[in-house]
Amino acid sequence: MANIQSLRGMNDILGKDSELFTYFVKHASRIAQNYGFSYLETPILEETSLFKRSVGESSDIVNKEMYQFIDKGENDVCLRPEGTAGVVRSFIQNKFDRAGGTYRWFYYGPMFRYERPQKGRLRQFHQFGCEVFGQDSVYEDANIIMMLKDILDFFKIEFKLQLNSLGCKTCMPVYRQNLVNSLTNIKDELCEDCNRRLLTNPIRVLDCKNEKCQNLLYNAPKITNNLCQNCDSDFEKLKEILDFNDIKYEIDTNLVRGLDYYSQTAFEFTSANIGAQSAIAGGGRYDRLVEFLGGRPTSGIGFAIGIERLLELIKMNDETKEVIYLGALCEEALNTLTKIAADKRKTTKTIIEYSPRGFTKHFKFAQKHNANIVALIGENELKENTIYTKNTITGEEKTIKLEDF
Ligand code: HAM
């Protein structure tokens, strides 16, 4: 009988991955707490209508990717495809919208999307997310972006930040109509998906990955040129605060995000080092979502990091980290090696093997420690005050003066 395997796009997290997972959550949580966020946990299973009303019926997530079923009590439920909707539901259910004030929460856990699995794209993946309620100051938008940057900086992740404003209920409908007018003229040249979106959610046409469509969209109206005075001045202020804090960003007027609840600030952090699924985090403002879900109008803003994609990057950093392996080819070399190790350990992870051995054994041990520099001292080296070194990545071998090592 064949062994049962985990479902496609759903992985166990164990070994080195589980170590990194807890390391990531520990430090991301610490940074979030320093920014005034507290932990919140919501159920993985929610009513399907929650996501239909928030993420949006026309979005791919709701339309094509939900793990949806009727439970034994005839309830239409689904595994959460993202975290924001559940947090907003909880905010309203616990009457925080009536109490007023500012609330900052963080969460992490599994999310489910029935997507086509590929590198960086899973059906069960994990997010670390943060949500803020009751803050309409644009300083909060900057605060959220700075916090996300602090998390990525802590893990030494290089990223690009893409920024856009999606306007508000005053300017977005006018812009949407402008866009529809302009796209209707070229609709025969746009792909099938774009034609469908033109009818259901025209803004998502801007997001099309098809190169021909992207070229055609070049002359389409840009949201940032169509913002009302309030949205425009908020967007300018946000850029000013980010500039003041030396945070680099690019304006991407085609950044619309795959979820329908955003207004004003929308952003995405991407990495050039993890292939096609390059988005490592995304978020933005959702000032109308609480109201949409039946609560008192309350502004909201947040983001979520894709933990698996981030772990991939942390792992890469880990693997490129220098590890020196020091080995003695004769007993007399050990004292010298302890001195070298003390010096190297000020900056670099350094392993010493205390038993004198031959070359082959030392290389085997060095491999176990993932060392990329192997440095050995024997009788000849001792006499000449030198050290044999090999870079295991480039393969370069040389014997150099001890003082040059
Ligand atoms: P999202 O952009 O859909 O936003 O997802 C956030 C992150 O989750 C992505 O940038 C990506 O790193 C990761 N992710 C998404 N889908 C997958 C997948 N199939 N496999 C692996 N990783 C994935 C949201 O979910 C919003 N709730 C973010 C937010 C919070 N906006 C405001 N507050």
Side-chain angles (χ1 to χ4, degrees), residues 17-113:
D17 285 344
S18 81
E19 246 173 64
L20 282 179
F21 190 98
T22 45
Y23 170 69
F24 168 77
V25 168
K26 177 176 158 194
H27 289 285
S29 304
R30 175 182 55 76
I31 294 169
Q33 281 161 339
N34 288 351
Y35 273 77
F37 286 73
S38 38
Y39 180 65
L40 168 84
E41 191 163 319
T42 62
I44 290 170
L45 204 59
E46 296 267 8
E47 259 184 50
T48 301
S49 58
L50 172 65
F51 301 104
K52 285 192 172 164
R53 279 162 64 183
S54 54
V55 177
E57 300 227 35
S58 65
S59 67
D60 285 350
I61 295 178
V62 168
N63 226 340
K64 305 182 191 160
E65 298 168 2
M66 297 247 273
Y67 277 89
Q68 181 184 357
F69 58 97
I70 306 294
D71 74 5
K72 289 184 173 46
E74 300 289 304
N75 305 299
D76 186 351
V77 295
C78 72
L79 297 176
R80 63 182 181 193
E82 58 101 55
T84 311
V87 175
V88 175
R89 187 224 11 91
S90 170
F91 176 77
I92 301 167
Q93 187 173 338
N94 289 291
K95 302 192 171 54
F96 292 109
D97 57 330
R98 286 161 188 269
T102 299
Y103 301 87
R104 293 188 176 87
W105 287 315
F106 73 93
Y107 54 89
Y108 57 89
M111 309 291 159
F112 302 83
R113 296 183 191 174

Side-chain angles (χ1 to χ4, degrees), residues 378-387 399-402:
E379 281 170 12
N380 283 347
E381 287 80 10
L382 267 185
K383 250 187 255 150
E384 287 159 20
N385 230 1
T386 57
I387 185 164
T399 299
I400 52 173
K401 283 268 170 227
L402 213 44

Side-chain angles (χ1 to χ4, degrees), residues 213-231:
C213 297
Q214 277 303 324
N215 290 337
L216 289 166
L217 288 170
Y218 190 75
N219 293 321
K222 306 278 176 269
I223 175 71
T224 45
N225 298 331
N226 288 264
L227 295 172
C228 63
Q229 204 188 347
N230 190 35
C231 290

